[in-house]
Amino acid sequence: MPLHVPPAPAPALRSVLTALGSPTVVREARTPSLLRAQGPVTPELPLPVHILDGTATRLAGWRFLIRCGERSVAAADSMLTPDGWAFSHFFEGPYIASTERALRQAEVMQQPYQPRLLSIPGLYMLALWLHGDCAADAGTGRLAATDLLVPLAPAPPGIAAHRPHRAAELLPVLTHRVSPAPLLGSPA
């Protein structure tokens, strides 16, 4: 079943296109692969980025994979500000290839999903969130127990990258690992 990639807000896309069109912004981004790109670069595969806060999620921005020819060379994030959507930054690294791999894995699953990214800051972890409600507003929504989470590489120790997990199974493990340990000498 194909993935149902939600459209990004038009101002978020425009902010990334404006940044891509600015030689100064691209040069200052310090992303060598973007600087070396030969030919036109285009933002594709917009994915909403949600942050896991306890058991709730909140929209933090939109991520676009930046393609040049047949491959992604970088990614661009946009974020919501009090004045609307604004370009945040360009970056490169292992999460780009890992995101593409996880999306290819999801594309062949039997059930249709709406792809999102889920950031778990306390674990320095990013996962592809496959939301079961394809018609949902991509900027809102809670993790459903039946949603799938696919940890991206590099994943934290003990969590296998690219192995899909039901949210109901993985969330307790993640929230337990993020919870602060009790201080020595304090009551448990």
Side-chain angles (χ1 to χ4, degrees), residues 59-131:
L59 180 67
W62 282 80
R63 177 162 298 163
F64 300 82
L65 295 180
I66 307 299
R67 294 189 66 83
C68 181
E70 295 297 313
R71 66 184 200 96
S72 294
V73 295
D77 278 359
S78 63
M79 62 183 185
L80 191 56
T81 69
D83 295 325
W85 288 99
F87 170 74
S88 175
H89 63 281
F90 291 116
F91 66 95
E92 58 186 54
Y95 283 129
I96 296 167
S98 187
T99 300
E100 289 183 310
R101 177 179 170 186
L103 287 166
R104 283 191 306 271
Q105 281 180 273
E107 191 71 38
V108 297
M109 293 181 175
Q110 295 301 312
Q111 181 178 339
Y113 289 103
Q114 181 189 82
R116 303 170 175 197
L117 291 173
L118 183 65
S119 173
I120 302 101
L123 293 176
Y124 300 100
M125 180 179 167
L126 189 64
L128 179 64
W129 170 9
L130 298 172
H131 190 53

Side-chain angles (χ1 to χ4, degrees), residues 5-6 16 26 39 42 45 52 83-84 100 115 128 132 137 143 161 180 183:
V5 179
V16 169
V26 170
T42 57
L45 285 171
L52 182 64
D83 295 325
E100 289 183 310
L128 179 64
D137 176 355
L143 273 164
L183 296 174

Side-chain angles (χ1 to χ4, degrees), residues 142-166:
R142 298 179 52 92
L143 273 164
T146 56
D147 286 352
L148 294 181
L149 295 174
V150 182
L152 301 181
I159 298 176
H162 298 286
R163 182 172 169 253
H165 301 269
R166 294 244 176 253

